[in-house]
Amino acid sequence: MFLGMEWYWWLIIVLVLIVVIPLKVKWMKWWSNRQQEKKRGQAGRWGDEE
């Protein structure tokens, strides 16, 4: 097969990618929202006023 791997290894790799990619996108959106909430929460604190 392609690159010396059997067909079932390619099937496993494709299935793993199908599961992992949407989870990574969801996690990145969550992380971005978390960072924005942290930034908004710190905006009114005394140390940031200049």
Side-chain angles (χ1 to χ4, degrees):
M1 285 297 289
F2 189 65
L3 293 178
M5 294 173 66
E6 295 292 332
W7 65 270
Y8 51 85
W9 286 114
W10 288 111
L11 183 63
I12 291 170
I13 290 169
V14 168
L15 290 175
V16 167
L17 288 175
I18 288 172
V19 171
V20 168
I21 290 173
L23 290 176
K24 181 174 172 76
V25 168
K26 189 172 187 176
W27 181 84
M28 288 181 69
K29 285 181 182 178
W30 172 82
W31 185 257
S32 172
N33 288 339
R34 183 173 177 264
Q35 293 299 97
Q36 287 177 359
E37 289 296 324
K38 272 187 169 181
K39 197 177 270 189
R40 266 190 236 129
Q42 292 178 353
R45 295 203 179 155
W46 291 38
D48 289 343
E49 295 176 9
E50 292 187 58

